[in-house]
Amino acid sequence: MLRAAIIGHGEISKAHRKAFWELEKSGKAKLVCACDIDPDAFERNKMTERDIKDSEFTENIGHYTELEKMLGDQELDLINICTPTDLHCEISVRMLERGYHVLCEKPMALSYGDCQRMLNAAAKSKKELMVGQCVRFYPAYDYIKLAIDEGSFGKVIGAHFSRLSPTPSSEKRADNWFIDPKRSGGCITDLHIHDVDLIRYLFGEPEAVCSRASSSVCVYDTVHSSFKYGDIPVTAIADWSMTGFKFSARSIINFEGATIAFDGRTVTVYPKDGKAPYEAELKNESGHFGEISYFCDVIEGKLENTKNTAQSAALTVKMIEKLKESIMLGGEYLLWEEGK
């Protein structure tokens, strides 16, 4: 069983810790400890059986506020990084150099240059590096990608993605790193990146991209982007400046023979032949569980990582940079050449 540690005990770590709980029951991996420089984070973000919805749940992991102390005390195979984005590159490189496999939360880093540093460290260490683009592992998108690849409903004729949110808080603390552009990169880098990565995953590389955005609470807080795939319109919007609004993530993919809509919980297929709409049958598991389970199999040599490579995650960050360039040019379409 792989032994894992989490660095960063913030809100997002809950999703990872829940996934490790399920993986431990299957004998695949065990979360043994967590580290955070804020000692209050362990109490603030503790989980109960109510959170996990399992009466047998007890979270029994070691808590550390000093990283070197944790690494010295524990025998570990896998480091799961859940820190603010500006720390992803530095900590990932250090852990890879120390000989650990690394699963780093998205976005991979704030710049493509830092992504390259991470890739180089992984290559030199010969350890596995994967980025937590968890949306690629949602059962809903497994279903949608298969429909696209196999042409189950004919060709795609259009697609639209949206993520709308109130301004994120840093656990109601005064030092809200989300609204510091030097730490989060703003909505375009932290939230919009999910759909940018998903679009590349579902449809491949576009011919060109463009974007327009406005800033209100941080930078690039309201973002509207388009991706050119021949004459097929593919668009995505993200906004984390919404007031009095609950988070929502929606996807609509329009095929020749049906429209598929995902509302964050249910995939509904609307056939165009007059038949009644129906819900797709999906596995009941989270994207975080899927990504961590997959990464464990990669580490164990049970499969090759073809679904979510670190190289692809780096290119998604590079595409975010291309979208920012388009914004600076007033929304002009810019050619997208993979890796250039």
Side-chain angles (χ1 to χ4, degrees):
M1 184 184 294
L2 294 171
R3 291 171 60 84
I6 282 179
I7 300 177
H9 203 267
E11 185 69 26
I12 192 60
S13 76
K14 287 185 178 181
H16 292 251
R17 286 147 53 206
K18 288 179 182 180
F20 275 114
W21 166 249
E22 295 297 328
L23 289 168
E24 182 178 351
K25 291 194 292 183
S26 69
K28 183 173 287 191
K30 177 179 175 62
L31 180 65
V32 296
C33 53
C35 181
D36 197 292
I37 59 173
D38 179 5
D40 295 334
F42 302 115
E43 178 65 24
R44 186 170 57 246
N45 291 308
K46 69 180 181 180
M47 292 193 302
T48 67
E49 62 181 54
R50 191 172 182 180
D51 295 314
I52 208 88
K53 297 180 181 178
D54 188 330
S55 61
E56 298 179 1
F57 173 75
T58 54
E59 187 173 38
N60 183 25
I61 63 174
H63 290 160
Y64 293 85
T65 56
E66 296 181 14
L67 179 57
E68 289 302 321
K69 173 66 173 170
M70 182 180 78
L71 298 179
D73 284 354
Q74 302 287 347
E75 292 185 10
L76 301 167
D77 305 294
L78 163 62
I79 302 294
N80 187 182
I81 298 171
C82 295
T83 65
T85 305
D86 60 314
L87 301 175
H88 286 182
C89 177
E90 176 190 350
I91 297 176
S92 293
V93 169
R94 285 173 58 194
M95 294 303 100
L96 288 163
E97 290 176 344
R98 295 281 288 266
Y100 300 107
H101 301 288
V102 171
L103 174 64
C104 179
E105 247 298 338
K106 66 82 206 163
M108 186 172 181
L110 287 175
S111 71
Y112 184 63
D114 279 349
C115 293
Q116 288 296 316
R117 285 185 57 204
M118 294 165 70
L119 292 173
N120 291 339
K124 187 175 181 179
S125 70
K126 301 189 186 310
K127 294 298 180 179
E128 295 292 343
L129 169 65
M130 196 172 89
V131 178
Q133 298 289 172
C134 64
V135 176
R136 292 192 182 205
F137 293 89
Y138 275 68
Y141 292 114
D142 287 337
Y143 180 90
I144 290 169
K145 183 165 176 58
L146 189 64
I148 293 170
D149 291 348
E150 294 189 345
S152 309
F153 304 103
K155 294 180 181 179
V156 173
I157 58 178
H160 177 68
F161 304 84
S162 69
R163 289 179 189 272
L164 306 177
S165 172
T167 303
S169 65
S170 187
E171 302 153 12
K172 300 181 180 179
R173 294 162 59 192
D175 57 334
N176 185 357
W177 66 270
F178 287 105
I179 59 173
D180 182 346
K182 293 181 180 179
R183 304 200 69 192
S184 71
C187 177
I188 193 171
T189 304
D190 190 83
L191 184 63
H192 196 45
I193 197 168
H194 275 304
D195 287 323
V196 172
D197 186 73
L198 178 61
I199 287 167
R200 290 186 55 246
Y201 175 62
L202 293 177
F203 304 111
E205 304 299 340
E207 301 165 30
V209 298
C210 72
S211 189
R212 294 178 67 86
S214 64
S215 302
S216 54
V217 296
C218 180
V219 65
Y220 306 134
D221 303 308
T222 301
V223 190
H224 290 217
S225 300
S226 294
F227 306 81
K228 182 174 174 56
Y229 291 91
D231 59 354
I232 300 172
V234 177
T235 62
I237 65 172
D239 195 327
W240 72 4
S241 65
M242 313 291 281
T243 301
F245 196 88
K246 292 183 178 180
F247 175 81
S248 70
R250 297 179 180 275
S251 305
I252 300 174
I253 297 87
N254 197 16
F255 298 82
E256 292 173 313
T259 300
I260 296 180
F262 177 47
D263 63 4
R265 287 188 288 185
T266 303
V267 171
T268 305
V269 180
Y270 299 88
K272 295 184 178 179
D273 59 3
K275 293 181 180 179
Y278 60 90
E279 293 183 6
E281 295 183 9
L282 306 173
K283 291 186 294 184
N284 183 24
E285 63 182 41
S286 72
H288 291 95
F289 173 87
E291 74 180 4
I292 298 174
S293 178
Y294 183 89
F295 190 51
C296 289
D297 286 342
V298 171
I299 292 172
E300 296 276 31
K302 296 178 181 178
L303 53 79
E304 179 184 355
N305 185 359
T306 58
K307 185 172 183 175
N308 185 39
T309 66
Q311 290 80 3
S312 182
L315 282 176
T316 295
V317 172
K318 187 169 187 178
M319 184 171 283
I320 292 294
E321 293 183 341
K322 182 69 72 172
L323 293 173
K324 289 180 181 178
E325 183 182 349
S326 174
I327 291 168
M328 295 297 293
L329 294 172
E332 179 182 332
Y333 262 109
L334 300 176
L335 291 177
W336 171 252
E337 298 179 83
E338 182 180 351
K340 296 182 181 179

